[in-house]
Amino acid sequence: MTAPVPIAPLAIALIGFGEAGAAIARGLCGENGWRSHTRPGDNRPRRVIAIDTALDRDDRGRALSAEARRLDVAITRDYVAALREADLVFCAVPGENALEAAQSAAPLLRPGAVYLDLCTITGRMAEDDRRVVEGAGARYVDIAVMGTFFGHGHKAPMLLAGPDAAAVSPWMVDNGFVASVLGTKPGSASAVKMMRSVVIKGLEALAVESLVAARRQGILEEVMGCFGDLDLVTFRQYVTTLLETHLVHARRRWEEMELVERTLQETGVEPLMTRAIVRSHRRTVDAGIAPADGKVPPLDMALELLSRQAVRGHSPDNE
């Protein structure tokens, strides 16, 4: 296997200067950041440049401009000047604009430039972006941000995928990023983030439903306090236990959630998430896959049974 060619950029471009782009810029341009570091015998200037189509168009755009000036980042709404100079590009725009950004950038990318796609997109969308970028002679890396820039700044954990991920990761780690390589398949990192979001954003929506109702009933602190058992194990262990016991206890949990739905309605909270939970558990019950002996199956077996007999739809690999 050919060893990855390490990167040593001198000009970095940021496509998108919102929360993500600005956080990355602060990491690159801050005290002891990438821009201030030089290698022995190499004092060539390092530049950070940014592109954001909202620049100066409204209050948000004017705030972008002010932050860029504070960091001494050259910012423009024009792709041309910035991208022709960059040998490393961070793209951090809303997912629905990812392909448009890649298409706008591609004709201007330097041959061999590395394009880091931080957009929240599906695996198939990442593949579309990759084809555009690599068609222009640049190197594409799919990156999933597994935390928030708001809480972590540029140190938000990142998962990298693609043939050049192993070449990019050491540079990122050396410059203060928290990066790890998932593998060589572009789109796989984005897919991991999407599946994580089902759980994390689902918890967010469930918390809205539960805690609004709890507050209305005057029992918010008591409800918050009863989550303490989750602190006794890792989150991974807790989710694994839920899945492993799901087949055995789906009927009881389904019946309980029907009463939860009624409780929320009595509190005046529309049970959007709870109705979905009732349907999900009923789906498992109707599939008739509860173990006859009442024994809890291991995680892989539980997921196999659910995939084959309960969860609708077919795996793309089996089409």
Side-chain angles (χ1 to χ4, degrees):
M1 179 181 290
T2 303
V5 179
I7 66 170
L10 292 173
I12 295 177
L14 307 168
I15 300 178
F17 201 67
E19 182 177 310
I24 293 169
R26 285 190 285 271
L28 295 172
C29 302
E31 185 177 358
N32 297 320
W34 166 81
R35 194 170 61 182
S36 66
H37 287 174
T38 57
R39 293 178 180 272
D42 183 1
N43 60 357
R44 290 175 294 176
R46 298 181 175 191
R47 299 186 60 215
V48 179
I49 46 190
I51 302 161
D52 198 299
T53 56
L55 181 65
D56 291 329
R57 293 190 185 279
D58 51 24
D59 288 344
R60 175 184 173 275
R62 286 184 283 275
L64 299 181
S65 180
E67 179 66 358
R69 286 195 303 272
R70 187 184 73 80
L71 295 171
D72 192 24
V73 170
I75 189 168
T76 176
R77 69 169 65 100
D78 178 13
Y79 277 74
V80 179
L83 285 178
R84 289 201 188 281
E85 303 172 30
D87 37 24
L88 179 64
V89 179
F90 286 87
C91 182
V93 301
E96 61 269 22
N97 302 127
L99 182 57
E100 180 184 354
Q103 290 170 333
S104 297
L108 310 166
L109 294 173
R110 296 175 56 179
V114 178
Y115 187 96
L116 307 181
D117 193 348
L118 277 67
C119 305
T120 300
I121 51 179
T122 70
R124 290 183 180 177
M125 291 168 71
E127 183 63 21
D128 291 339
D129 291 354
R130 181 195 66 81
R131 280 195 293 266
V132 171
V133 170
E134 292 186 353
R139 302 154 68 187
Y140 178 87
V141 178
D142 164 34
I143 297 187
V145 182
M146 309 304 288
T148 66
F149 288 103
F150 177 79
H152 300 286
H154 77 293
K155 294 182 180 294
M158 298 184 191
L159 198 60
L160 283 61
D164 289 293
V168 172
S169 178
W171 177 88
M172 295 185 72
V173 172
D174 286 347
N175 287 281
F177 294 87
V178 179
S180 58
V181 177
L182 174 65
T184 59
K185 181 183 178 182
S188 57
S190 293
V192 169
K193 178 170 183 175
M194 288 296 180
M195 295 307 98
R196 178 182 187 271
S197 290
V198 174
V199 175
I200 301 303
K201 304 306 188 295
L203 283 174
E204 177 184 348
L206 289 167
V208 169
E209 196 159 289
S210 172
L211 299 184
V212 167
R215 185 176 183 275
R216 287 184 180 181
Q217 296 179 63
I219 54 172
L220 177 60
E221 289 304 316
E222 289 78 5
V223 171
M224 293 292 283
C226 77
F227 295 140
D229 59 319
L230 275 68
D231 296 329
L232 303 178
V233 296
T234 66
F235 188 72
R236 176 174 179 153
Q237 290 173 313
Y238 193 82
V239 171
T240 298
T241 299
L242 288 178
L243 264 294
E244 290 176 338
T245 60
H246 176 71
L247 300 188
V248 175
H249 298 300
R251 178 175 293 276
R252 176 179 60 78
R253 291 170 180 172
W254 160 50
E255 293 170 348
E256 177 183 329
M257 291 310 297
E258 286 190 320
L259 296 177
V260 172
E261 181 180 1
R262 187 184 305 177
T263 300
L264 290 170
Q265 289 171 327
E266 290 174 356
T267 311
V269 173
E270 185 178 5
L272 295 174
M273 298 297 294
T274 299
R275 285 193 188 114
I277 297 169
V278 170
R279 291 176 58 195
S280 177
H281 282 66
R282 176 64 186 268
R283 177 180 64 184
T284 300
V285 172
D286 289 346
I289 53 177
D293 58 8
K295 292 183 179 179
V296 173
L299 177 63
D300 192 61
M301 182 183 296
L303 289 174
E304 175 65 19
L305 286 168
L306 288 166
S307 181
R308 283 196 287 108
Q309 301 185 48
V311 179
R312 295 186 182 93
H314 300 283
S315 168
D317 294 337
N318 297 328
E319 290 179 350

